[in-house]
Amino acid sequence: MNSPDRETVLDQSARKRAEISYLEGDAGRLARFYREWASSYDLDVGSERYSAPMIVSELAGAVQTAYLASERGAITVLDAGCGTGLVGVQLSRFGFQLIDGFDLTEEMAGNARRTGVYRNIQVDVDLNGALSQYPTASYDITVCCGVFGLGQVRPDGLRELARVTRPNGFVIASTSRRYLKATSFEDELRRLQRGGVVMPAQCLADGRYIADEYAHYWVLRIAP
Ligand SMILES: C[S@@+](CC[C@H](N)C(=O)[O-])C[C@H]1O[C@@H](n2cnc3c(N)ncnc32)[C@H](O)[C@@H]1O
């Protein structure tokens, strides 16, 4: 890509990311926003060195090797807010084979479906509400990448991710630095720990996220 084109893509990506923070977690507005972005999302975030899908997938691989008894191909993974499937593709490269996903919009999830790495994808699923489509303790690992972001999912979405993950399984989630500062995510995490839902968290702090933004990557073990 030559320089003016590259700048246009960079501008567009930065503008889009800024716009999200004003959507206030409203499912209708978020769905409209991502519906429009779906066709150029991969190109846009790719141009800004979007590192989060690789980091989240590498953490999932490390967690499986370090703690889980089943071989990687037999581990069930839920990709919450799977978008166009950037995380699923990385998980699949690392040997995960049983990957399900959900998203708010068909347009983003349709791209994920076309990657061919997902077993099942559900749409119109809002993480700001109950994940009633998913029974308790369904997955070994739940990943949530780029979804706890300003204007998107509120911190209490974490509780639902923990619910659908089995005891001794793991939730792996990114939170951008700005999100962490502006929301009560860490309070929610402390509540879940005090309530015996998750064990004390491990965290890869201030890792690369996108462009010049940094994020925390949380690895939460569900209590036995
Ligand atoms: C920044 S994208 C990240 C997509 C993918 N996880 C990745 O890392 O490329 C955020 C995704 O979360 C979805 N999303 C946003 N708010 C959501 C919500 N409340 N419930 C479910 N999905 C949501 C959007 O539709 C979008 O596909």
Side-chain angles (χ1 to χ4, degrees):
M1 195 186 297
N2 63 32
S3 296
D5 285 350
R6 190 175 147 69
E7 269 169 32
T8 311
V9 172
L10 282 172
D11 286 351
Q12 146 122 337
S13 181
R15 213 175 29 248
K16 286 278 189 198
R17 288 190 292 107
E19 277 173 41
I20 302 171
S21 52
Y22 297 104
L23 300 178
E24 296 174 343
D26 180 284
R29 293 173 69 193
L30 280 162
R32 263 196 305 283
F33 177 87
Y34 276 106
R35 213 173 279 142
E36 281 171 19
W37 198 9
S39 61
S40 63
Y41 175 87
D42 286 5
L43 183 64
D44 290 350
V45 299
S47 73
E48 291 207 292
R49 291 174 291 111
Y50 183 38
S51 313
M54 176 63 93
I55 295 172
V56 165
S57 304
E58 285 183 326
L59 286 173
V63 151
Q64 181 271 328
T65 305
Y67 300 117
L68 299 180
S70 303
E71 64 184 47
R72 206 167 277 188
I75 297 289
T76 52
V77 184
L78 176 64
D79 182 3
C82 62
T84 58
L86 296 178
V87 178
V89 167
Q90 295 302 336
L91 287 170
S92 160
R93 287 199 183 127
F94 290 135
F96 290 97
Q97 293 171 25
L98 305 178
I99 310 167
D100 292 344
F102 72 76
D103 203 273
L104 270 181
T105 77
E106 174 54 38
E107 284 74 7
M108 292 291 278
N111 292 344
R113 222 174 261 123
R114 281 186 284 281
T115 65
V117 303
Y118 289 86
R119 179 176 66 168
N120 174 271
I121 294 182
Q122 305 216 30
V123 292
D124 297 327
V125 179
D126 182 5
L127 184 52
N128 281 321
L131 298 178
S132 44
Q133 300 84 339
Y134 294 95
T136 298
S138 300
Y139 291 93
D140 296 307
I141 300 178
T142 299
V143 295
C144 191
C145 178
V147 182
F148 287 106
L150 286 179
Q152 294 195 124
V153 173
R154 291 185 293 272
D156 57 5
L158 196 52
R159 187 172 285 273
E160 273 299 270
L161 297 183
R163 181 187 65 77
V164 302
T165 311
R166 71 160 170 83
N168 281 317
F170 289 86
V171 173
I172 299 172
S174 69
T175 54
S176 68
R177 207 183 252 172
R178 286 190 305 141
Y179 180 83
L180 214 52
K181 272 200 184 136
T183 71
S184 58
F185 185 89
E186 287 178 289
D187 292 337
E188 179 65 26
L189 190 50
R190 276 189 284 273
R191 261 195 296 279
L192 291 176
Q193 286 175 185
R194 275 199 306 270
V197 178
V198 302
M199 315 281 274
Q202 301 182 48
C203 180
L204 202 65
D206 293 321
R208 279 205 187 89
Y209 185 56
I210 188 168
D212 57 359
E213 282 189 42
Y214 289 80
H216 279 21
Y217 294 88
W218 301 92
V219 177
L220 312 177
R221 188 175 202 148
I222 307 304

